[in-house]
Amino acid sequence: MEPKKGNTRDPMRSQQVYTKQTRIAELAERHPQLAFTSLNHYIDMDWLKEAFRRTPKDRAPGVDGQSAGEYGEELESNLQSLINRAKSGSYRAPPVKRGYVPKDGREDRPIGMPTFEDKVLQRAVVMVLEPIYEHDFLDCSYGFRPKRSPHDALESLWKQIMEMGGCWLIDADIRKFFDTLVKEHLRSFLRHRVRDGVIERLVGKWLKAGVLEEGQILYPEDGTPQGGVISPVLSNIYLHEVLDKWFEEQIKPRLQGRAFLIRFADDFVMGFELERDARRVLEVLPKRFARFGLEIHPEKTRLVDFRRPREHASVRATFDFLGFTHYWGKSRKGRMVVQRKTAGSRLGRALKRVDEACRKARHRPVAEQWKMLRVKLLGHYGYYGITGNGRGLSSFLHWVRRLWRKWLSRRSRDAVLSLR
């Protein structure tokens, strides 16, 4: 079978792009205070072809309705036109189509769907920015970074709590972060390291691009649309300045005990050896975020006494982070250790998706339904399959079986009703 045009990997081109990224990274490491004024020359035809290759091809189309396959039919001419428009300043960032996905069963989370061409150009700019900021971002940051994952963040959190023997933990929540970050602050933060006119202009256009919702184009004053390829990098730049550096350079030197921060995108927790340190930081945290247009959710942010409990304690504190409930329990050797299980809200959300999928597929062949469910099970196990969460996985499998049986039985009833 002949591969699709423009969708194959060229080892030579990939190596050339990697060599250029390595050069950018070396300059960033050698000159940590340097603001790069000339970066756009890296974005050439080979660079955009690699960006095209790295852009997922199976996502929903944007406002223009163009699919990845359609764009790839005239790939060379399309990419050349994109380069010319991006560098001449004539590129216009199209509005982002907005959709919604469920979030913890309480509210819907908005998500943006850029056009495919816009995704390719955003990917190309991300490929320029990542080598610079990977040398600036701190070890406490894990979200949407190369070679870092939620499991890495969870492992670091586990180790640091265990090394402290428990801690006072700030379980924080930023209210509508992606909708409220201040664009002027973001531009200012970006200029600390990037002052290339083409890059700055493109980022500015993406920040100003409208949002298409229910047939109407809106132009939000603040925020960046979720779903854009560039959004995770920009959000990391923002919180690197607002939170990570502030905690490392200004907060930790003033504390009397040990402390740590773990952040994944806009989700973060802080751990403290001493209660008085934790309470002092909890008091100033909302003021720090308000200075940059952000709000710490007063009802969802709390101080948790997560010190190692006594063996027969009747009440033990818990907190949720990255889809897991963290709690103290006994190891096989009888020691009190931090354990993790699938958070109830995440389990409920996953089962709701399975229930809906079984409902829609109930009239398909059983073998086809099983293949669909197998993919969902493997995806769930791939994320939640960590040490100590065996019961959570067993519970998920149990309920998937029950849901599937429910919809298979209704299929038989539907067939009987259709014959009447």
Side-chain angles (χ1 to χ4, degrees):
M1 180 176 175
E2 186 177 347
K4 292 183 180 180
K5 184 178 179 181
N7 200 32
T8 55
R9 182 175 184 271
D10 183 338
M12 182 68 71
R13 181 173 63 242
S14 297
Q15 183 60 42
Q16 289 173 348
V17 170
Y18 176 76
T19 301
K20 292 177 180 178
Q21 288 182 307
T22 302
R23 172 61 177 163
I24 297 172
E26 289 172 350
L27 289 171
E29 184 177 20
R30 194 179 309 149
H31 305 285
Q33 304 302 320
L34 174 69
F36 288 80
T37 58
S38 180
L39 289 168
N40 72 85
H41 65 277
Y42 290 105
I43 304 178
D44 55 16
M45 180 60 75
D46 286 339
W47 193 276
L48 275 184
K49 283 184 176 179
E50 182 65 11
F52 172 83
R53 186 187 70 82
R54 296 185 187 184
T55 302
K57 312 296 189 296
D58 57 349
R59 305 294 168 82
V63 294
D64 62 355
Q66 187 179 47
S67 67
E70 292 169 343
Y71 191 84
E73 289 175 2
E74 300 291 337
L75 186 61
E76 291 276 347
S77 60
N78 285 336
L79 293 183
Q80 188 59 59
S81 172
L82 184 57
I83 292 173
N84 296 339
R85 285 178 284 136
K87 296 193 176 184
S88 68
S90 62
Y91 180 79
R92 293 185 178 182
V96 175
K97 186 165 65 174
R98 174 170 284 179
Y100 291 88
V101 295
K103 179 183 178 182
D104 296 333
R106 297 189 299 272
E107 57 182 339
D108 290 336
R109 176 169 61 89
I111 185 168
M113 291 170 277
T115 64
F116 183 77
E117 181 177 69
D118 205 43
K119 292 177 185 177
V120 173
L121 187 55
Q122 288 189 31
R123 176 67 63 188
V125 172
V126 167
M127 288 161 55
V128 173
L129 296 179
E130 273 186 349
I132 299 172
Y133 283 101
E134 277 305 299
H135 287 280
D136 291 3
F137 291 155
L138 304 182
D139 286 341
C140 63
S141 167
Y142 289 87
F144 306 108
R145 293 179 57 186
K147 300 180 181 179
R148 290 192 162 217
S149 70
H151 290 154
D152 295 327
L154 291 165
E155 182 66 16
S156 178
L157 175 61
W158 187 89
K159 287 181 178 178
Q160 295 193 71
I161 293 177
M162 291 300 298
E163 286 173 2
M164 280 189 185
C167 65
W168 291 85
L169 186 134
I170 295 178
D171 180 11
D173 183 271
I174 307 175
R175 176 178 277 172
K176 296 184 177 179
F177 168 70
F178 287 94
D179 293 333
T180 58
L181 66 83
V182 180
K183 296 175 182 178
E184 289 305 314
H185 287 314
L186 178 56
R187 291 189 184 96
S188 175
F189 295 152
L190 185 65
R191 283 183 62 81
H192 292 172
R193 284 297 248 164
V194 177
R195 295 184 185 176
D196 179 285
V198 172
I199 302 295
E200 285 189 282
R201 185 167 58 236
L202 286 172
V203 171
K205 289 183 177 184
W206 286 320
L207 291 177
K208 292 179 181 178
V211 175
L212 179 66
E213 186 172 3
E214 297 181 353
Q216 185 177 8
I217 299 180
L218 309 174
Y219 294 92
E221 183 177 342
D222 293 317
T224 178
Q226 298 184 60
V229 178
I230 195 76
S231 294
V233 175
L234 297 181
S235 66
N236 271 336
I237 293 172
Y238 203 91
L239 289 176
H240 170 72
E241 297 287 343
V242 173
L243 178 61
D244 303 353
K245 285 177 63 178
W246 171 72
F247 185 80
E248 190 67 29
E249 298 174 3
Q250 299 184 42
I251 295 299
K252 286 178 71 174
R254 292 178 168 87
L255 301 179
Q256 296 180 347
R258 292 175 293 172
F260 65 82
L261 164 69
I262 301 292
R263 180 176 67 82
F264 191 94
D266 60 326
D267 292 330
F268 70 94
V269 292
M270 295 173 168
F272 302 86
E273 185 178 14
L274 303 177
E275 180 183 5
R276 57 179 174 272
D277 286 340
R279 293 194 180 278
R280 286 171 59 198
V281 174
L282 184 59
E283 183 179 350
V284 301
L285 192 62
K287 301 174 186 177
R288 172 67 181 180
F289 275 69
R291 179 181 170 187
F292 297 96
L294 302 176
E295 182 182 359
I296 295 294
H297 201 300
E299 297 175 1
K300 298 180 183 178
T301 300
R302 63 192 182 113
L303 180 62
V304 181
D305 181 357
F306 203 69
R307 293 173 295 175
R308 181 182 280 117
R310 294 181 179 178
E311 187 172 341
H312 300 292
S314 58
V315 179
R316 296 177 183 177
T318 67
F319 69 93
D320 289 354
F321 185 61
L322 297 181
F324 290 89
T325 297
H326 299 68
Y327 64 100
W328 287 97
K330 279 188 178 182
S331 70
R332 291 183 178 179
K333 296 182 179 180
R335 296 175 55 243
M336 294 299 294
V337 297
V338 177
Q339 298 183 340
R340 287 83 54 94
K341 62 182 179 181
T342 308
S345 61
R346 293 294 186 92
L347 179 61
R349 195 192 313 173
L351 290 173
K352 186 176 181 180
R353 288 196 295 264
V354 169
D355 187 56
E356 181 65 15
C358 288
R359 183 188 68 82
K360 291 180 178 180
R362 67 186 185 277
H363 295 303
R364 295 178 183 174
V366 172
E368 187 177 332
Q369 292 185 46
W370 165 240
K371 288 181 180 179
M372 177 269 293
L373 288 174
R374 182 175 180 274
V375 170
K376 291 187 178 297
L377 284 167
L378 290 176
H380 189 87
Y381 289 174
Y383 186 80
Y384 292 102
I386 65 173
T387 302
N389 194 31
R391 288 184 180 178
L393 299 182
S394 297
S395 176
F396 182 70
L397 178 59
H398 167 76
W399 283 106
V400 168
R401 285 171 170 166
R402 290 196 61 172
L403 289 170
W404 191 23
R405 187 180 300 116
K406 178 189 76 172
W407 286 108
L408 286 177
S409 65
R410 290 192 181 187
R411 181 173 73 166
S412 300
R413 186 182 65 185
D414 292 345
V416 171
L417 292 174
S418 67
L419 294 174
R420 291 182 178 178

